Amino acid sequence: MDEQDINERHRARMQRKKEVVDQKIASARRDAGVLLVNTGNGKGKSSSAFGMAIRALGHGMKVGVVQFIKGAKPTGEELFLRRFPDEVSFHAMGEGYTWETQDRERDIAAAQRAWDKARGFLADASVGLVVLDELNIALKYRYLNVQQVIADLRARPPMQHVVVTGRAAPPELIEAADTVTEMQLVRHAFAAGIAAQPGVEW
Amino acid sequence: MDEQDINERHRARMQRKKEVVDQKIASARRDAGVLLVNTGNGKGKSSSAFGMAIRALGHGMKVGVVQFIKGAKPTGEELFLRRFPDEVSFHAMGEGYTWETQDRERDIAAAQRAWDKARGFLADASVGLVVLDELNIALKYRYLNVQQVIADLRARPPMQHVVVTGRAAPPELIEAADTVTEMQLVRHAFAAGIAAQPGVEW
């Protein structure tokens, strides 16, 4: 098969593919706020949420961030997003992972304070995207009531997007979400002895 | 079991967990540039790369971005990151997905131009993070030679991080990477008829 045949076959295949893709897009035509959940053991759950944050900022939306576990030390995302106080309201309200604090009552109190902050965003239609980072961890340890959380999420403004991150998302939340991704660990640099690098992991 | 017992059991379990986590972290102590690959059919591959971009910016690093497929219309990430020309060098060099262009020779030429731009970043130690968005698509369709791409990636400055995104990453690239995540599709809002929303998908 010569080069011209390859190119022609490619064109025909891509034309068929375009018809399938176009049909899919045409059938998804409703505008609505999306509830996303990023879960699984692989890397990319929080970073994907912060990538959405800059997409939202690029489209002129306001962004509210609540970090449920992180907060003990400032991360790159916090250092950067705090440069835009008019556009981003950033709240790192955790005190470290629960195996760091080892104090369940303190964790519950911190999670409840963080959820109160989240509810403020979920009641404010001027906030286009709400990032609830590591909320799944707080739900997994039952620091928060999942039914209450879902009720508050459902009551939010209809065009507001929300992204929830963290391992082990509860089945009830997965059921309630519009878009769910499981970040599957294929390989991690930790296993090769590389420490958590700034700009990559935090 | 009363509340005090629950709290004590929690503390003991978290103490054991902390020992495991601390040991893992202690054994990963080498600093190095990390090559990451985000692949799979789920949402979050590109957004995770752009979340890393803001982490890197928060730590004072410079970021280079090459988009291999996107470029036909400006995305939220492009609109936002172009606000920081001293910190981010942004190049959207695609002409749309290959099923949009339907022209293999044009796609190959565009991919080669984009790779030339990427090689410039990969030869510049002042760039802390290089985002190669949708490179996997260009490799899947063999618009670029995977061995040449891997050789250029391996020759980069030792502390430079690179993140490659796109479905169907080739096995050779997965083998060469330090951290690989497969974004698995659990559910997508398209299926419920919700169109691609700004701030979420682009």
Side-chain angles (χ1 to χ4, degrees):
Chain A
M1 199 160 63
D2 68 12
E3 190 72 5
Q4 198 182 336
D5 286 343
I6 292 174
N7 289 341
E8 179 48 38
R9 261 184 25 154
H10 175 89
R11 196 201 56 74
R13 203 168 61 238
M14 289 304 120
Q15 191 174 340
R16 286 194 301 274
K17 176 147 192 170
K18 179 171 163 59
E19 284 159 14
V20 172
V21 172
D22 284 353
Q23 198 174 4
K24 254 194 200 170
I25 292 171
S27 68
R29 57 176 69 197
R30 188 162 56 88
D31 285 322
V34 180
L35 172 59
L36 301 97
V37 173
N38 295 342
T39 193
N41 294 332
K43 180 177 163 44
K45 299 179 289 294
S46 297
S47 52
S48 168
F50 289 108
M52 283 178 54
I54 70 166
R55 283 185 176 160
L57 291 169
H59 291 293
M61 294 155 73
K62 287 196 180 181
V63 176
V65 178
V66 180
Q67 294 193 299
F68 281 80
I69 302 293
K70 297 162 189 170
K73 68 172 182 182
T75 56
E77 59 268 29
E78 179 174 358
L79 291 166
F80 182 73
L81 291 175
R82 283 200 185 282
R83 285 164 57 180
F84 316 99
D86 296 340
E87 295 162 272
V88 184
S89 182
F90 199 106
H91 302 269
M93 302 184 71
E95 301 185 335
Y97 282 96
T98 185
W99 52 91
E100 293 292 344
T101 65
Q102 299 179 22
D103 182 335
R104 186 166 164 271
E105 289 186 327
R106 197 172 115 190
D107 289 348
I108 290 173
Q112 192 57 58
R113 280 195 303 276
W115 187 249
D116 289 344
K117 177 58 69 179
R119 290 184 76 178
F121 292 139
L122 295 171
D124 181 352
S126 78
V127 178
L129 170 68
V130 181
V131 176
L132 302 175
D133 189 35
E134 306 287 7
L135 171 59
N136 289 336
I137 305 282
L139 292 170
K140 169 180 153 68
Y141 286 104
R142 302 187 182 283
Y143 296 160
L144 297 170
N145 178 292
V146 67
Q147 294 306 341
Q148 182 61 52
V149 164
I150 290 172
D152 290 339
L153 288 168
R154 288 215 164 111
R156 76 189 193 278
M159 280 308 298
Q160 187 181 67
H161 308 303
V162 179
V163 54
V164 175
T165 81
R167 295 183 180 207
E172 300 92 325
L173 183 64
I174 289 176
E175 188 54 39
D178 302 298
T179 294
V180 180
T181 307
E182 174 153 346
M183 275 64 177
Q184 258 201 341
L185 178 79
V186 178
R187 188 177 312 141
H188 200 289
F190 289 165
I194 301 177
Q197 299 295 301
V200 177
E201 309 290 343
W202 58 285
Chain B
M1 200 160 59
D2 67 13
E3 190 72 5
Q4 201 183 333
D5 285 344
I6 292 173
N7 289 340
E8 181 48 37
R9 263 183 24 155
H10 175 88
R11 197 201 56 73
R13 203 167 61 237
M14 289 305 121
Q15 192 175 336
R16 287 195 300 276
K17 178 145 190 171
K18 178 170 165 57
E19 284 159 14
V20 172
V21 172
D22 283 352
Q23 198 175 4
K24 254 195 198 167
I25 291 171
S27 69
R29 57 177 67 198
R30 188 163 56 89
D31 285 322
V34 180
L35 173 59
L36 301 98
V37 174
N38 295 342
T39 192
N41 294 332
K43 178 176 167 45
K45 300 180 288 293
S46 298
S47 52
S48 169
F50 289 108
M52 284 180 52
I54 71 164
R55 283 185 176 160
L57 292 169
H59 292 293
M61 296 156 72
K62 286 194 181 181
V63 176
V65 178
V66 180
Q67 294 193 298
F68 282 79
I69 302 293
K70 297 161 188 172
K73 68 171 181 181
T75 56
E77 59 267 30
E78 178 174 359
L79 291 166
F80 182 72
L81 291 175
R82 283 199 185 284
R83 284 164 57 179
F84 316 99
D86 296 338
E87 296 161 90
V88 184
S89 181
F90 200 107
H91 302 269
M93 301 184 72
E95 302 185 334
Y97 283 95
T98 186
W99 51 91
E100 292 292 343
T101 65
Q102 299 179 22
D103 182 335
R104 186 167 164 270
E105 289 186 327
R106 196 172 115 189
D107 288 347
I108 290 173
Q112 192 57 58
R113 281 194 303 276
W115 188 249
D116 290 343
K117 177 57 70 180
R119 290 183 76 178
F121 292 138
L122 295 171
D124 180 353
S126 78
V127 178
L129 171 68
V130 182
V131 175
L132 301 175
D133 189 36
E134 305 287 6
L135 171 59
N136 289 335
I137 305 282
L139 292 170
K140 170 180 153 69
Y141 286 104
R142 301 185 185 282
Y143 296 160
L144 297 170
N145 179 293
V146 67
Q147 296 305 341
Q148 183 61 53
V149 163
I150 289 172
D152 291 339
L153 288 169
R154 289 217 164 110
R156 77 189 192 278
M159 281 307 300
Q160 187 181 67
H161 308 303
V162 179
V163 53
V164 175
T165 80
R167 293 183 182 209
E172 300 93 323
L173 183 64
I174 288 175
E175 189 54 38
D178 302 297
T179 294
V180 180
T181 307
E182 174 154 347
M183 274 68 176
Q184 258 201 342
L185 178 80
V186 178
R187 189 177 313 140
H188 200 290
F190 288 165
I194 300 177
Q197 299 295 302
V200 177
E201 309 289 343
W202 58 285

PDB file of all heavy atoms in Angstrom, chain A residues 56-67:
ATOM      1  N   ALA A  56     -12.010  27.331  34.483  1.00  0.00           N
ATOM      2  CA  ALA A  56     -13.112  28.197  34.911  1.00  0.00           C
ATOM      3  C   ALA A  56     -12.655  29.659  34.965  1.00  0.00           C
ATOM      4  O   ALA A  56     -13.346  30.561  34.476  1.00  0.00           O
ATOM      5  CB  ALA A  56     -13.629  27.730  36.272  1.00  0.00           C
ATOM      6  N   LEU A  57     -11.460  29.893  35.515  1.00  0.00           N
ATOM      7  CA  LEU A  57     -10.936  31.261  35.592  1.00  0.00           C
ATOM      8  C   LEU A  57     -10.758  31.839  34.192  1.00  0.00           C
ATOM      9  O   LEU A  57     -11.020  33.022  33.963  1.00  0.00           O
ATOM     10  CB  LEU A  57      -9.606  31.273  36.351  1.00  0.00           C
ATOM     11  CG  LEU A  57      -9.705  30.954  37.853  1.00  0.00           C
ATOM     12  CD1 LEU A  57      -8.317  30.729  38.440  1.00  0.00           C
ATOM     13  CD2 LEU A  57     -10.436  32.059  38.606  1.00  0.00           C
ATOM     14  N   GLY A  58     -10.312  31.018  33.269  1.00  0.00           N
ATOM     15  CA  GLY A  58     -10.120  31.464  31.885  1.00  0.00           C
ATOM     16  C   GLY A  58     -11.421  31.895  31.236  1.00  0.00           C
ATOM     17  O   GLY A  58     -11.429  32.728  30.317  1.00  0.00           O
ATOM     18  N   HIS A  59     -12.532  31.330  31.701  1.00  0.00           N
ATOM     19  CA  HIS A  59     -13.844  31.703  31.163  1.00  0.00           C
ATOM     20  C   HIS A  59     -14.539  32.765  32.018  1.00  0.00           C
ATOM     21  O   HIS A  59     -15.747  32.983  31.884  1.00  0.00           O
ATOM     22  CB  HIS A  59     -14.735  30.463  31.046  1.00  0.00           C
ATOM     23  CG  HIS A  59     -14.276  29.495  29.979  1.00  0.00           C
ATOM     24  ND1 HIS A  59     -14.310  29.791  28.639  1.00  0.00           N
ATOM     25  CD2 HIS A  59     -13.737  28.257  30.061  1.00  0.00           C
ATOM     26  CE1 HIS A  59     -13.841  28.773  27.939  1.00  0.00           C
ATOM     27  NE2 HIS A  59     -13.475  27.828  28.778  1.00  0.00           N
ATOM     28  N   GLY A  60     -13.746  33.370  32.938  1.00  0.00           N
ATOM     29  CA  GLY A  60     -14.291  34.485  33.716  1.00  0.00           C
ATOM     30  C   GLY A  60     -15.150  34.079  34.898  1.00  0.00           C
ATOM     31  O   GLY A  60     -15.868  34.912  35.459  1.00  0.00           O
ATOM     32  N   MET A  61     -15.109  32.811  35.268  1.00  0.00           N
ATOM     33  CA  MET A  61     -15.902  32.347  36.406  1.00  0.00           C
ATOM     34  C   MET A  61     -15.140  32.566  37.711  1.00  0.00           C
ATOM     35  O   MET A  61     -13.909  32.653  37.722  1.00  0.00           O
ATOM     36  CB  MET A  61     -16.212  30.862  36.241  1.00  0.00           C
ATOM     37  CG  MET A  61     -17.130  30.564  35.059  1.00  0.00           C
ATOM     38  SD  MET A  61     -16.952  28.885  34.396  1.00  0.00           S
ATOM     39  CE  MET A  61     -17.758  27.943  35.688  1.00  0.00           C
ATOM     40  N   LYS A  62     -15.894  32.625  38.817  1.00  0.00           N
ATOM     41  CA  LYS A  62     -15.285  32.643  40.140  1.00  0.00           C
ATOM     42  C   LYS A  62     -15.182  31.214  40.672  1.00  0.00           C
ATOM     43  O   LYS A  62     -16.029  30.360  40.348  1.00  0.00           O
ATOM     44  CB  LYS A  62     -16.119  33.493  41.099  1.00  0.00           C
ATOM     45  CG  LYS A  62     -15.974  34.971  40.817  1.00  0.00           C
ATOM     46  CD  LYS A  62     -16.474  35.824  41.960  1.00  0.00           C
ATOM     47  CE  LYS A  62     -16.296  37.301  41.605  1.00  0.00           C
ATOM     48  NZ  LYS A  62     -16.730  38.192  42.656  1.00  0.00           N
ATOM     49  N   VAL A  63     -14.156  30.991  41.475  1.00  0.00           N
ATOM     50  CA  VAL A  63     -13.871  29.636  41.960  1.00  0.00           C
ATOM     51  C   VAL A  63     -13.771  29.649  43.480  1.00  0.00           C
ATOM     52  O   VAL A  63     -13.116  30.535  44.057  1.00  0.00           O
ATOM     53  CB  VAL A  63     -12.550  29.112  41.349  1.00  0.00           C
ATOM     54  CG1 VAL A  63     -12.194  27.736  41.912  1.00  0.00           C
ATOM     55  CG2 VAL A  63     -12.651  29.056  39.815  1.00  0.00           C
ATOM     56  N   GLY A  64     -14.423  28.695  44.115  1.00  0.00           N
ATOM     57  CA  GLY A  64     -14.291  28.490  45.557  1.00  0.00           C
ATOM     58  C   GLY A  64     -13.591  27.165  45.818  1.00  0.00           C
ATOM     59  O   GLY A  64     -13.940  26.168  45.201  1.00  0.00           O
ATOM     60  N   VAL A  65     -12.597  27.186  46.688  1.00  0.00           N
ATOM     61  CA  VAL A  65     -11.831  25.965  46.993  1.00  0.00           C
ATOM     62  C   VAL A  65     -11.908  25.689  48.483  1.00  0.00           C
ATOM     63  O   VAL A  65     -11.635  26.580  49.295  1.00  0.00           O
ATOM     64  CB  VAL A  65     -10.343  26.115  46.599  1.00  0.00           C
ATOM     65  CG1 VAL A  65      -9.562  24.847  46.964  1.00  0.00           C
ATOM     66  CG2 VAL A  65     -10.194  26.442  45.118  1.00  0.00           C
ATOM     67  N   VAL A  66     -12.267  24.459  48.845  1.00  0.00           N
ATOM     68  CA  VAL A  66     -12.138  23.999  50.230  1.00  0.00           C
ATOM     69  C   VAL A  66     -11.298  22.728  50.211  1.00  0.00           C
ATOM     70  O   VAL A  66     -11.625  21.775  49.507  1.00  0.00           O
ATOM     71  CB  VAL A  66     -13.507  23.710  50.884  1.00  0.00           C
ATOM     72  CG1 VAL A  66     -13.313  23.231  52.326  1.00  0.00           C
ATOM     73  CG2 VAL A  66     -14.397  24.945  50.850  1.00  0.00           C
ATOM     74  N   GLN A  67     -10.199  22.758  50.964  1.00  0.00           N
ATOM     75  CA  GLN A  67      -9.373  21.549  51.105  1.00  0.00           C
ATOM     76  C   GLN A  67      -9.664  20.940  52.471  1.00  0.00           C
ATOM     77  O   GLN A  67      -9.461  21.575  53.508  1.00  0.00           O
ATOM     78  CB  GLN A  67      -7.896  21.896  50.943  1.00  0.00           C
ATOM     79  CG  GLN A  67      -7.593  22.365  49.516  1.00  0.00           C
ATOM     80  CD  GLN A  67      -6.108  22.418  49.212  1.00  0.00           C
ATOM     81  OE1 GLN A  67      -5.374  23.151  49.854  1.00  0.00           O
ATOM     82  NE2 GLN A  67      -5.674  21.642  48.230  1.00  0.00           N
TER      83      GLN A  67
END
